[in-house]
Amino acid sequence: MKNYYQVLGLEKNATPEEIKKAYKLYASKFHPDKQHEDKFFEERFKEIKEAYDILSDTGKRNTYDASFEPNNTPPKPNYNTTYKSDYYNTTTEDKNFKEGTG
């Protein structure tokens, strides 16, 4: 699933005014008529239009937000529950070495 917020350069909590402003900016910048019918700009323009259509409609945006999971954002580590043992395979040999018996 595409990250429509990223397409328009917005945060998830963007207001309707911010969405409209970003759409106008990117639509004018990437409009294929201004770029001599370049296929890259044509595809990018379609993506921008699709993002705007979803994010500017409250119902569609709520449905999108409920189902959206950003695939390109790695999970943040929880430093409160992460221990060295989570990162290393502790074999008997490793345990003996740590305890000073190896």
Side-chain angles (χ1 to χ4, degrees):
M1 177 177 274
K2 291 181 184 178
N3 184 335
Y4 292 131
Y5 293 101
Q6 189 176 38
V7 169
L8 293 177
L10 299 168
E11 296 291 324
K12 190 172 180 176
N13 60 352
T15 65
E17 292 80 21
E18 291 171 325
I19 293 168
K20 188 174 185 176
K21 184 177 178 180
Y23 169 71
K24 286 183 176 184
L25 173 74
Y26 284 110
S28 66
K29 183 176 180 179
F30 288 93
H31 198 283
D33 290 346
K34 292 184 179 182
Q35 303 298 336
H36 308 291
E37 303 295 329
D38 187 317
K39 290 291 181 189
F40 168 79
F41 290 98
E42 186 177 326
E43 290 302 314
R44 183 76 170 106
F45 182 78
K46 287 178 186 177
E47 196 174 60
I48 291 164
K49 176 75 169 114
E50 181 181 352
Y52 179 72
D53 288 344
I54 297 295
L55 298 180
S56 65
D57 182 290
T58 305
K60 290 178 184 179
R61 182 177 180 181
N62 289 338
T63 302
Y64 171 75
D65 286 344
S67 65
F68 179 70
E69 293 181 27
N71 296 328
N72 56 358
T73 306
K76 294 180 181 177
N78 184 349
Y79 293 109
N80 296 327
T81 60
T82 305
Y83 303 97
K84 278 188 177 180
S85 61
D86 294 339
Y87 296 104
Y88 301 104
N89 182 10
T90 54
T91 63
T92 305
E93 186 177 51
D94 292 335
K95 288 179 185 175
N96 289 341
F97 178 77
K98 288 177 189 172
E99 295 170 3
T101 59

